[in-house]
Amino acid sequence: MTATTAWRADPYDCALRTGRGPLFLRRHDGWLLPLEIERWCGAPDRGDLSVLDRCRGTVLDIGCGPGRLVAALAAEGRRALGIDISPEAVARTLRLGGSALCRSVFEPLPAEGRWDTALLIDGNIGIGGDPAALLRRLRQVVSPAGRLLVECAPVDIDECCEVRVDDGRGGRGTPFPWARVGVRALAGYADGAGWDVADRWDLEGRPFLSLASQSPPATGP
């Protein structure tokens, strides 16, 4: 079962419809990672605003969820597009006034190679369970002069595993691969995928990195 199918299934879509949890990612050993549905369905907080302030030009929000960031950019007249594999996430984004497509980042995307800013917020560096592959893919999506803004796990971790969406009341989705990486691990993956760390900041317990494409090596005369 693919991650695309898993995220399209309840209980994730159910939680987005109501805007309320509880909702978790459940690891195979039973460990639960709480998902912040209420925050995702609310207005941008201070951490989100610190990301929005760093957005330049056209913005692609990967795994946009219910669309709070895309909608905030649209309200300012900014050109922004969200992509998400959850139809309910896309529907909520559209209802908020944002633009969104129901699509995976690994599928063909509009304006590939021309996005000025791409976002991986709310743990979305975990998409696909392979941060290196995701970061390599985004080299094809973001313009050579663009930036990738990534939220890291707030702990020093580098974990790729299989998880399910779990509502804590017996409802579980199908298994799919996911990753959690802290700042140190993400910096390592970024370097291997052709990105340099241009900036780092922390706000309200949320660490972020701004990544820029590495310059090609200088050639001789």
Side-chain angles (χ1 to χ4, degrees), residues 1 11 29 34 63 75 82 84 91 94 103-104 132 150 153 163 166 170 189 200 204 215 217:
M1 185 68 67
D29 60 1
D84 204 290
L94 296 174
R103 195 166 301 181
S104 164
V150 187
V163 297
D166 188 314
Y189 284 122
R200 175 190 171 174
E204 297 186 338
S215 300

Side-chain angles (χ1 to χ4, degrees), residues 3 7 62-64 83 85 104-106 119-121 123-131 133-134 177-179:
W7 280 104
I62 299 152
C64 65
I83 59 170
I85 59 174
S104 164
V105 67
F106 294 106
L119 307 180
L120 285 171
I121 307 303
N124 284 330
I125 185 62
I127 290 172
D130 187 341
L134 179 56
W178 195 252

Side-chain angles (χ1 to χ4, degrees), residues 25-76:
L25 290 183
R26 174 182 285 271
R27 204 166 55 193
H28 63 86
D29 60 1
W31 179 85
L32 297 174
L33 174 69
L35 299 178
E36 298 179 88
I37 293 295
E38 288 86 354
R39 181 174 69 80
W40 298 350
C41 291
D45 62 14
R46 290 181 63 238
D48 298 330
L49 293 175
S50 76
V51 172
L52 296 174
D53 286 345
R54 288 168 169 82
C55 290
R56 299 292 180 267
T58 57
V59 182
L60 179 69
D61 187 1
I62 299 152
C64 65
R68 71 190 189 282
L69 302 182
V70 175
L73 290 166
E76 296 177 355

